[in-house]
Amino acid sequence: QVQLVESGGGLVQAGGSLRLSCAASGRTFSSSGVAWFRQAPGKEREFVAAFRIREGNTYYADSIKGRFTTSRDNTKNTVYLQMNNLKPEDTAVYRCAAANALPIGLAIMAPRTYNYWGQGTQVTVSS
């Protein structure tokens, strides 16, 4: 089992920045990939970013490309999502997720790929 806990959400004005953290514990060595998803009220869960742990490859949704960056600190078993130039449409609950096996292709953006989920952290961007 892998436990994930997000933090760092909050209220920010448009154009501002936030850095989300996802602290992992448990059998973290069994995870091959980590991703960030978000879900706004009344909308489906949306892929934001992901990376492959061994290879270091990163993937980003078009909607946030160039504004968000995901990274990790192995010494702390923590993954980060740096969010810059935030927009009101970025308002959502952000959750991190870990996968035992990360497939090639579009499946990396599918929630069903991921085995473990954090509880989420709210990000609200005011206009």
Side-chain angles (χ1 to χ4, degrees):
Q1 288 288 335
V2 176
Q3 292 78 42
L4 304 171
V5 179
E6 302 95 334
S7 61
L11 174 63
V12 64
Q13 288 188 331
S17 298
L18 283 174
R19 189 178 78 158
L20 305 183
S21 299
C22 173
S25 60
R27 296 173 59 87
T28 56
F29 59 84
S30 66
S31 298
S32 65
V34 179
W36 290 92
F37 288 81
R38 67 185 182 186
Q39 188 165 18
K43 294 188 177 182
E44 292 188 354
R45 194 175 305 179
E46 178 189 15
F47 169 81
V48 175
F51 68 82
R52 297 183 184 277
I53 292 176
R54 291 186 183 88
E55 297 84 349
N57 303 93
T58 55
Y59 308 85
Y60 296 98
D62 289 341
S63 60
I64 57 86
K65 200 171 292 184
R67 299 188 296 122
F68 292 10
T69 304
T70 186
S71 61
R72 61 189 171 117
D73 185 336
N74 290 338
T75 64
K76 298 180 179 179
N77 275 341
T78 299
V79 173
Y80 302 99
L81 184 68
Q82 177 67 44
M83 307 185 295
N84 298 326
N85 190 22
L86 283 161
K87 304 176 181 180
E89 51 264 41
D90 295 319
T91 295
V93 174
Y94 285 72
R95 300 177 71 184
C96 64
N100 292 332
L102 209 56
I104 297 174
L106 295 178
I108 197 172
M109 298 186 287
R112 67 177 183 275
T113 294
Y114 298 88
N115 308 98
Y116 310 102
W117 292 83
Q119 83 290 348
T121 185
Q122 176 71 45
V123 171
T124 303
V125 184
S126 63
S127 57

PDB file of all heavy atoms in Angstrom, residues 50-74:
ATOM      1  N   ALA A  50       2.015  14.122 -15.173  1.00  0.00           N
ATOM      2  CA  ALA A  50       2.491  12.831 -14.681  1.00  0.00           C
ATOM      3  C   ALA A  50       3.968  12.685 -15.005  1.00  0.00           C
ATOM      4  O   ALA A  50       4.482  13.367 -15.899  1.00  0.00           O
ATOM      5  CB  ALA A  50       1.714  11.683 -15.322  1.00  0.00           C
ATOM      6  N   PHE A  51       4.627  11.808 -14.261  1.00  0.00           N
ATOM      7  CA  PHE A  51       5.991  11.475 -14.643  1.00  0.00           C
ATOM      8  C   PHE A  51       6.297  10.036 -14.281  1.00  0.00           C
ATOM      9  O   PHE A  51       5.708   9.455 -13.371  1.00  0.00           O
ATOM     10  CB  PHE A  51       7.015  12.429 -14.007  1.00  0.00           C
ATOM     11  CG  PHE A  51       7.165  12.316 -12.522  1.00  0.00           C
ATOM     12  CD1 PHE A  51       7.975  11.329 -11.957  1.00  0.00           C
ATOM     13  CD2 PHE A  51       6.527  13.199 -11.683  1.00  0.00           C
ATOM     14  CE1 PHE A  51       8.114  11.235 -10.587  1.00  0.00           C
ATOM     15  CE2 PHE A  51       6.667  13.105 -10.313  1.00  0.00           C
ATOM     16  CZ  PHE A  51       7.463  12.121  -9.764  1.00  0.00           C
ATOM     17  N   ARG A  52       7.198   9.478 -15.071  1.00  0.00           N
ATOM     18  CA  ARG A  52       7.673   8.124 -14.845  1.00  0.00           C
ATOM     19  C   ARG A  52       8.859   8.183 -13.891  1.00  0.00           C
ATOM     20  O   ARG A  52       9.804   8.915 -14.155  1.00  0.00           O
ATOM     21  CB  ARG A  52       8.114   7.488 -16.159  1.00  0.00           C
ATOM     22  CG  ARG A  52       7.001   7.324 -17.156  1.00  0.00           C
ATOM     23  CD  ARG A  52       7.455   6.618 -18.415  1.00  0.00           C
ATOM     24  NE  ARG A  52       6.376   6.552 -19.391  1.00  0.00           N
ATOM     25  CZ  ARG A  52       5.428   5.638 -19.384  1.00  0.00           C
ATOM     26  NH1 ARG A  52       5.448   4.696 -18.465  1.00  0.00           N
ATOM     27  NH2 ARG A  52       4.489   5.652 -20.290  1.00  0.00           N
ATOM     28  N   ILE A  53       8.797   7.418 -12.835  1.00  0.00           N
ATOM     29  CA  ILE A  53       9.797   7.533 -11.785  1.00  0.00           C
ATOM     30  C   ILE A  53      11.174   7.124 -12.271  1.00  0.00           C
ATOM     31  O   ILE A  53      12.163   7.833 -12.044  1.00  0.00           O
ATOM     32  CB  ILE A  53       9.370   6.715 -10.558  1.00  0.00           C
ATOM     33  CG1 ILE A  53       8.144   7.370  -9.926  1.00  0.00           C
ATOM     34  CG2 ILE A  53      10.509   6.574  -9.559  1.00  0.00           C
ATOM     35  CD1 ILE A  53       7.564   6.609  -8.768  1.00  0.00           C
ATOM     36  N   ARG A  54      11.302   6.003 -12.932  1.00  0.00           N
ATOM     37  CA  ARG A  54      12.621   5.519 -13.343  1.00  0.00           C
ATOM     38  C   ARG A  54      13.191   6.350 -14.485  1.00  0.00           C
ATOM     39  O   ARG A  54      14.332   6.785 -14.442  1.00  0.00           O
ATOM     40  CB  ARG A  54      12.545   4.050 -13.746  1.00  0.00           C
ATOM     41  CG  ARG A  54      12.272   3.108 -12.596  1.00  0.00           C
ATOM     42  CD  ARG A  54      12.346   1.653 -13.046  1.00  0.00           C
ATOM     43  NE  ARG A  54      12.017   0.750 -11.960  1.00  0.00           N
ATOM     44  CZ  ARG A  54      10.792   0.361 -11.667  1.00  0.00           C
ATOM     45  NH1 ARG A  54       9.785   0.802 -12.375  1.00  0.00           N
ATOM     46  NH2 ARG A  54      10.571  -0.463 -10.673  1.00  0.00           N
ATOM     47  N   GLU A  55      12.383   6.586 -15.501  1.00  0.00           N
ATOM     48  CA  GLU A  55      12.888   7.268 -16.684  1.00  0.00           C
ATOM     49  C   GLU A  55      12.952   8.777 -16.498  1.00  0.00           C
ATOM     50  O   GLU A  55      13.745   9.455 -17.159  1.00  0.00           O
ATOM     51  CB  GLU A  55      12.000   6.951 -17.901  1.00  0.00           C
ATOM     52  CG  GLU A  55      11.979   5.483 -18.278  1.00  0.00           C
ATOM     53  CD  GLU A  55      10.975   4.683 -17.484  1.00  0.00           C
ATOM     54  OE1 GLU A  55      10.428   5.232 -16.489  1.00  0.00           O
ATOM     55  OE2 GLU A  55      10.724   3.524 -17.838  1.00  0.00           O
ATOM     56  N   GLY A  56      12.104   9.309 -15.655  1.00  0.00           N
ATOM     57  CA  GLY A  56      12.090  10.747 -15.441  1.00  0.00           C
ATOM     58  C   GLY A  56      11.301  11.517 -16.470  1.00  0.00           C
ATOM     59  O   GLY A  56      11.305  12.744 -16.470  1.00  0.00           O
ATOM     60  N   ASN A  57      10.595  10.833 -17.356  1.00  0.00           N
ATOM     61  CA  ASN A  57       9.790  11.516 -18.374  1.00  0.00           C
ATOM     62  C   ASN A  57       8.587  12.195 -17.728  1.00  0.00           C
ATOM     63  O   ASN A  57       7.976  11.635 -16.827  1.00  0.00           O
ATOM     64  CB  ASN A  57       9.301  10.515 -19.425  1.00  0.00           C
ATOM     65  CG  ASN A  57      10.429   9.767 -20.081  1.00  0.00           C
ATOM     66  OD1 ASN A  57      10.793   8.691 -19.641  1.00  0.00           O
ATOM     67  ND2 ASN A  57      10.992  10.362 -21.117  1.00  0.00           N
ATOM     68  N   THR A  58       8.262  13.367 -18.215  1.00  0.00           N
ATOM     69  CA  THR A  58       7.103  14.091 -17.701  1.00  0.00           C
ATOM     70  C   THR A  58       6.086  14.327 -18.812  1.00  0.00           C
ATOM     71  O   THR A  58       6.443  14.406 -19.989  1.00  0.00           O
ATOM     72  CB  THR A  58       7.503  15.441 -17.093  1.00  0.00           C
ATOM     73  OG1 THR A  58       8.236  16.187 -18.070  1.00  0.00           O
ATOM     74  CG2 THR A  58       8.375  15.255 -15.863  1.00  0.00           C
ATOM     75  N   TYR A  59       4.849  14.440 -18.417  1.00  0.00           N
ATOM     76  CA  TYR A  59       3.748  14.643 -19.353  1.00  0.00           C
ATOM     77  C   TYR A  59       2.825  15.697 -18.762  1.00  0.00           C
ATOM     78  O   TYR A  59       2.559  15.687 -17.562  1.00  0.00           O
ATOM     79  CB  TYR A  59       2.971  13.332 -19.555  1.00  0.00           C
ATOM     80  CG  TYR A  59       3.855  12.163 -19.918  1.00  0.00           C
ATOM     81  CD1 TYR A  59       4.483  11.416 -18.929  1.00  0.00           C
ATOM     82  CD2 TYR A  59       4.071  11.812 -21.249  1.00  0.00           C
ATOM     83  CE1 TYR A  59       5.303  10.354 -19.254  1.00  0.00           C
ATOM     84  CE2 TYR A  59       4.890  10.746 -21.575  1.00  0.00           C
ATOM     85  CZ  TYR A  59       5.498  10.016 -20.570  1.00  0.00           C
ATOM     86  OH  TYR A  59       6.310   8.973 -20.894  1.00  0.00           O
ATOM     87  N   TYR A  60       2.310  16.553 -19.606  1.00  0.00           N
ATOM     88  CA  TYR A  60       1.437  17.634 -19.151  1.00  0.00           C
ATOM     89  C   TYR A  60       0.219  17.762 -20.045  1.00  0.00           C
ATOM     90  O   TYR A  60       0.295  17.545 -21.249  1.00  0.00           O
ATOM     91  CB  TYR A  60       2.186  18.970 -19.153  1.00  0.00           C
ATOM     92  CG  TYR A  60       3.346  19.028 -18.186  1.00  0.00           C
ATOM     93  CD1 TYR A  60       4.644  18.799 -18.620  1.00  0.00           C
ATOM     94  CD2 TYR A  60       3.132  19.288 -16.840  1.00  0.00           C
ATOM     95  CE1 TYR A  60       5.714  18.839 -17.726  1.00  0.00           C
ATOM     96  CE2 TYR A  60       4.194  19.339 -15.939  1.00  0.00           C
ATOM     97  CZ  TYR A  60       5.477  19.103 -16.396  1.00  0.00           C
ATOM     98  OH  TYR A  60       6.528  19.145 -15.506  1.00  0.00           O
ATOM     99  N   ALA A  61      -0.887  18.132 -19.417  1.00  0.00           N
ATOM    100  CA  ALA A  61      -2.084  18.447 -20.180  1.00  0.00           C
ATOM    101  C   ALA A  61      -1.862  19.747 -20.941  1.00  0.00           C
ATOM    102  O   ALA A  61      -1.163  20.648 -20.456  1.00  0.00           O
ATOM    103  CB  ALA A  61      -3.278  18.577 -19.242  1.00  0.00           C
ATOM    104  N   ASP A  62      -2.465  19.852 -22.104  1.00  0.00           N
ATOM    105  CA  ASP A  62      -2.304  21.060 -22.911  1.00  0.00           C
ATOM    106  C   ASP A  62      -2.778  22.303 -22.180  1.00  0.00           C
ATOM    107  O   ASP A  62      -2.234  23.391 -22.361  1.00  0.00           O
ATOM    108  CB  ASP A  62      -3.067  20.903 -24.225  1.00  0.00           C
ATOM    109  CG  ASP A  62      -2.395  19.903 -25.164  1.00  0.00           C
ATOM    110  OD1 ASP A  62      -1.204  19.614 -24.977  1.00  0.00           O
ATOM    111  OD2 ASP A  62      -3.085  19.422 -26.083  1.00  0.00           O
ATOM    112  N   SER A  63      -3.802  22.153 -21.360  1.00  0.00           N
ATOM    113  CA  SER A  63      -4.401  23.306 -20.685  1.00  0.00           C
ATOM    114  C   SER A  63      -3.457  23.971 -19.686  1.00  0.00           C
ATOM    115  O   SER A  63      -3.658  25.133 -19.329  1.00  0.00           O
ATOM    116  CB  SER A  63      -5.690  22.887 -19.984  1.00  0.00           C
ATOM    117  OG  SER A  63      -5.411  21.878 -19.019  1.00  0.00           O
ATOM    118  N   ILE A  64      -2.454  23.259 -19.217  1.00  0.00           N
ATOM    119  CA  ILE A  64      -1.558  23.820 -18.210  1.00  0.00           C
ATOM    120  C   ILE A  64      -0.102  23.846 -18.666  1.00  0.00           C
ATOM    121  O   ILE A  64       0.766  24.302 -17.910  1.00  0.00           O
ATOM    122  CB  ILE A  64      -1.686  23.070 -16.867  1.00  0.00           C
ATOM    123  CG1 ILE A  64      -1.395  21.571 -17.057  1.00  0.00           C
ATOM    124  CG2 ILE A  64      -3.063  23.261 -16.265  1.00  0.00           C
ATOM    125  CD1 ILE A  64       0.034  21.154 -16.982  1.00  0.00           C
ATOM    126  N   LYS A  65       0.162  23.361 -19.849  1.00  0.00           N
ATOM    127  CA  LYS A  65       1.529  23.296 -20.344  1.00  0.00           C
ATOM    128  C   LYS A  65       2.155  24.692 -20.383  1.00  0.00           C
ATOM    129  O   LYS A  65       1.540  25.646 -20.844  1.00  0.00           O
ATOM    130  CB  LYS A  65       1.548  22.659 -21.723  1.00  0.00           C
ATOM    131  CG  LYS A  65       2.897  22.114 -22.145  1.00  0.00           C
ATOM    132  CD  LYS A  65       2.757  21.302 -23.426  1.00  0.00           C
ATOM    133  CE  LYS A  65       1.982  20.020 -23.221  1.00  0.00           C
ATOM    134  NZ  LYS A  65       1.928  19.191 -24.442  1.00  0.00           N
ATOM    135  N   GLY A  66       3.361  24.783 -19.872  1.00  0.00           N
ATOM    136  CA  GLY A  66       4.052  26.065 -19.819  1.00  0.00           C
ATOM    137  C   GLY A  66       3.784  26.840 -18.545  1.00  0.00           C
ATOM    138  O   GLY A  66       4.496  27.811 -18.248  1.00  0.00           O
ATOM    139  N   ARG A  67       2.783  26.437 -17.779  1.00  0.00           N
ATOM    140  CA  ARG A  67       2.459  27.132 -16.529  1.00  0.00           C
ATOM    141  C   ARG A  67       2.721  26.257 -15.304  1.00  0.00           C
ATOM    142  O   ARG A  67       3.094  26.769 -14.244  1.00  0.00           O
ATOM    143  CB  ARG A  67       0.992  27.562 -16.528  1.00  0.00           C
ATOM    144  CG  ARG A  67       0.636  28.529 -17.648  1.00  0.00           C
ATOM    145  CD  ARG A  67      -0.781  29.081 -17.471  1.00  0.00           C
ATOM    146  NE  ARG A  67      -1.795  28.053 -17.555  1.00  0.00           N
ATOM    147  CZ  ARG A  67      -2.681  27.785 -16.597  1.00  0.00           C
ATOM    148  NH1 ARG A  67      -2.663  28.463 -15.479  1.00  0.00           N
ATOM    149  NH2 ARG A  67      -3.594  26.843 -16.767  1.00  0.00           N
ATOM    150  N   PHE A  68       2.511  24.963 -15.431  1.00  0.00           N
ATOM    151  CA  PHE A  68       2.688  24.037 -14.318  1.00  0.00           C
ATOM    152  C   PHE A  68       3.916  23.168 -14.565  1.00  0.00           C
ATOM    153  O   PHE A  68       4.218  22.801 -15.712  1.00  0.00           O
ATOM    154  CB  PHE A  68       1.481  23.115 -14.177  1.00  0.00           C
ATOM    155  CG  PHE A  68       0.203  23.772 -13.743  1.00  0.00           C
ATOM    156  CD1 PHE A  68       0.066  25.155 -13.682  1.00  0.00           C
ATOM    157  CD2 PHE A  68      -0.899  23.010 -13.395  1.00  0.00           C
ATOM    158  CE1 PHE A  68      -1.108  25.752 -13.291  1.00  0.00           C
ATOM    159  CE2 PHE A  68      -2.080  23.589 -12.996  1.00  0.00           C
ATOM    160  CZ  PHE A  68      -2.192  24.969 -12.953  1.00  0.00           C
ATOM    161  N   THR A  69       4.583  22.798 -13.475  1.00  0.00           N
ATOM    162  CA  THR A  69       5.731  21.907 -13.549  1.00  0.00           C
ATOM    163  C   THR A  69       5.661  20.917 -12.403  1.00  0.00           C
ATOM    164  O   THR A  69       5.438  21.308 -11.247  1.00  0.00           O
ATOM    165  CB  THR A  69       7.049  22.692 -13.446  1.00  0.00           C
ATOM    166  OG1 THR A  69       7.100  23.684 -14.461  1.00  0.00           O
ATOM    167  CG2 THR A  69       8.243  21.752 -13.606  1.00  0.00           C
ATOM    168  N   THR A  70       5.861  19.648 -12.706  1.00  0.00           N
ATOM    169  CA  THR A  70       5.887  18.647 -11.657  1.00  0.00           C
ATOM    170  C   THR A  70       7.327  18.196 -11.432  1.00  0.00           C
ATOM    171  O   THR A  70       8.105  18.093 -12.386  1.00  0.00           O
ATOM    172  CB  THR A  70       4.980  17.446 -11.983  1.00  0.00           C
ATOM    173  OG1 THR A  70       4.941  16.560 -10.854  1.00  0.00           O
ATOM    174  CG2 THR A  70       5.471  16.675 -13.198  1.00  0.00           C
ATOM    175  N   SER A  71       7.666  17.941 -10.184  1.00  0.00           N
ATOM    176  CA  SER A  71       9.009  17.515  -9.834  1.00  0.00           C
ATOM    177  C   SER A  71       8.931  16.633  -8.597  1.00  0.00           C
ATOM    178  O   SER A  71       7.864  16.477  -8.010  1.00  0.00           O
ATOM    179  CB  SER A  71       9.910  18.720  -9.569  1.00  0.00           C
ATOM    180  OG  SER A  71       9.408  19.487  -8.482  1.00  0.00           O
ATOM    181  N   ARG A  72      10.072  16.068  -8.200  1.00  0.00           N
ATOM    182  CA  ARG A  72      10.054  15.205  -7.031  1.00  0.00           C
ATOM    183  C   ARG A  72      11.345  15.373  -6.235  1.00  0.00           C
ATOM    184  O   ARG A  72      12.381  15.751  -6.770  1.00  0.00           O
ATOM    185  CB  ARG A  72       9.877  13.753  -7.438  1.00  0.00           C
ATOM    186  CG  ARG A  72      10.986  13.225  -8.330  1.00  0.00           C
ATOM    187  CD  ARG A  72      10.635  11.859  -8.855  1.00  0.00           C
ATOM    188  NE  ARG A  72      11.568  11.424  -9.874  1.00  0.00           N
ATOM    189  CZ  ARG A  72      12.346  10.368  -9.760  1.00  0.00           C
ATOM    190  NH1 ARG A  72      12.324   9.656  -8.648  1.00  0.00           N
ATOM    191  NH2 ARG A  72      13.164  10.013 -10.724  1.00  0.00           N
ATOM    192  N   ASP A  73      11.239  15.073  -4.965  1.00  0.00           N
ATOM    193  CA  ASP A  73      12.380  15.041  -4.069  1.00  0.00           C
ATOM    194  C   ASP A  73      12.438  13.637  -3.489  1.00  0.00           C
ATOM    195  O   ASP A  73      11.648  13.301  -2.598  1.00  0.00           O
ATOM    196  CB  ASP A  73      12.221  16.097  -2.964  1.00  0.00           C
ATOM    197  CG  ASP A  73      13.429  16.183  -2.065  1.00  0.00           C
ATOM    198  OD1 ASP A  73      14.175  15.188  -1.961  1.00  0.00           O
ATOM    199  OD2 ASP A  73      13.628  17.248  -1.461  1.00  0.00           O
ATOM    200  N   ASN A  74      13.354  12.832  -3.993  1.00  0.00           N
ATOM    201  CA  ASN A  74      13.431  11.438  -3.559  1.00  0.00           C
ATOM    202  C   ASN A  74      13.767  11.319  -2.084  1.00  0.00           C
ATOM    203  O   ASN A  74      13.325  10.392  -1.409  1.00  0.00           O
ATOM    204  CB  ASN A  74      14.466  10.686  -4.392  1.00  0.00           C
ATOM    205  CG  ASN A  74      14.007  10.478  -5.810  1.00  0.00           C
ATOM    206  OD1 ASN A  74      12.806  10.504  -6.096  1.00  0.00           O
ATOM    207  ND2 ASN A  74      14.955  10.297  -6.714  1.00  0.00           N
TER     208      ASN A  74
END
